[in-house]
């Protein structure tokens, strides 16, 4: 167990978290719906970061987790505020650490890949194809990786990703349901 004052959330190893869950703590998954649909810890309650005001405050301590712990750490203040005095800890290393420690997860590989991974795959593919076409066919094709790069910069600066907006409309992404 580790107390980290800069994030104000007590951190628990997977073993410590498991013991607290067995003692009655609620496990809260704060990742996006697409991530939760693909892989999660059994018994976890899904409350995305954008809906932390809906945390189930039942007088039981909460253990929050994301994929790696970074999002939970970044949004610790928001989570603590939403918990309104309910004790909150975070799973150190998130779902990745839980899996690495050999604890059970529920994984549905029939669900689409997480949207962020889809964006990475499409952006990387377009950039690579554009570069190869630019190198071997015509320099005009270099506009493709330049366009992808500009889109990624825009997404990073504004938080709005046109490619993600398009990908979420694809038929395979309409299946996200738990």
């Amino acid at each position: 167990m580790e107390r980290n004052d800069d994030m104000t959330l007590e951190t628990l190893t997977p073993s410590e978290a498991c013991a607290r869950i067995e003692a009655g703590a609620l496990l809260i998954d704060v990742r996006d719906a697409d991530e939760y649909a693909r892989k999660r810890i059994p018994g976890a309650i899904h409350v995305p970061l954008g809906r932390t005001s809906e945390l189930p405050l039942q007088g039981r301590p909460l253990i929050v987790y994301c994929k790696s712990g970074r999002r939970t750490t970044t949004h610790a203040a928001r989570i603590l505020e939403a918990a309104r005095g309910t004790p909150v800890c975070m799973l150190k290393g998130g779902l990745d650490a839980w899996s690495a420690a050999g604890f059970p997860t529920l994984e549905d590989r029939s669900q689409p890949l997480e949207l962020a991974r889809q964006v990475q795959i499409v952006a990387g593919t377009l950039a690579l194809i554009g570069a190869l076409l630019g190198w071997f066919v015509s320099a005009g094709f270099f506009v493709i990786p330049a366009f992808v790069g500009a889109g990624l910069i825009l997404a990073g600066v504004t938080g709005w990703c046109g490619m993600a907006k398009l990908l979420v409309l694809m038929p395979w992404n309409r299946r996200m349901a738990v």
Side-chain angles (χ1 to χ4, degrees), residues 13 44 47-48 63 82-83 93 107 132 142 144 154 156 176 178:
T13 66
V47 182
I63 301 171
E107 189 166 3
L132 291 173
F142 284 125
I144 297 170
L154 177 70
M176 274 188 284
V178 180

Side-chain angles (χ1 to χ4, degrees), residues 41-57:
I41 298 172
I45 299 168
H46 183 231
V47 182
L49 280 171
R51 294 188 3 231
T52 53
S53 62
E54 300 171 20
L55 282 172
L57 305 177

Side-chain angles (χ1 to χ4, degrees), residues 15-173:
S15 296
E16 292 167 336
C18 192
R20 297 249 183 126
I21 293 163
E22 289 172 2
L26 293 175
L27 186 61
I28 309 295
D29 187 324
V30 297
R31 299 172 304 142
D32 292 334
D34 58 336
E35 297 171 283
Y36 180 79
R38 180 95 173 164
K39 185 176 182 180
R40 63 190 173 283
I41 298 172
I45 299 168
H46 183 231
V47 182
L49 280 171
R51 294 188 3 231
T52 53
S53 62
E54 300 171 20
L55 282 172
L57 305 177
Q58 305 169 357
R60 294 164 60 187
L62 306 177
I63 301 171
V64 295
Y65 77 92
C66 60
K67 182 179 183 328
S68 66
R70 279 185 233 124
R71 259 180 289 187
T72 307
T73 301
T74 301
H75 298 282
R78 181 191 319 171
I79 293 166
L80 285 167
E81 182 181 327
R84 296 187 293 276
T86 298
V88 182
C89 300
M90 75 173 258
L91 176 59
K92 185 177 184 175
L95 181 62
D96 292 343
W98 181 272
S99 294
F103 288 103
T105 59
L106 297 174
E107 189 166 3
D108 184 354
R109 290 186 172 269
S110 72
Q111 292 292 330
L113 288 175
E114 298 87 351
L115 195 56
R117 287 182 59 194
Q118 291 181 47
V119 168
Q120 293 167 342
I121 291 167
V122 172
T125 301
L126 286 173
L128 179 61
I129 289 171
L132 291 173
L133 289 172
W135 187 263
F136 293 111
V137 178
S138 167
F141 284 107
F142 284 125
V143 74
I144 297 170
F147 183 73
V148 170
L152 291 172
I153 292 169
L154 177 70
V157 170
T158 66
W160 182 87
C161 180
M163 189 179 300
K165 298 285 185 195
L166 287 173
L167 284 170
V168 82
L169 299 174
M170 296 294 113
W172 61 85
N173 284 324

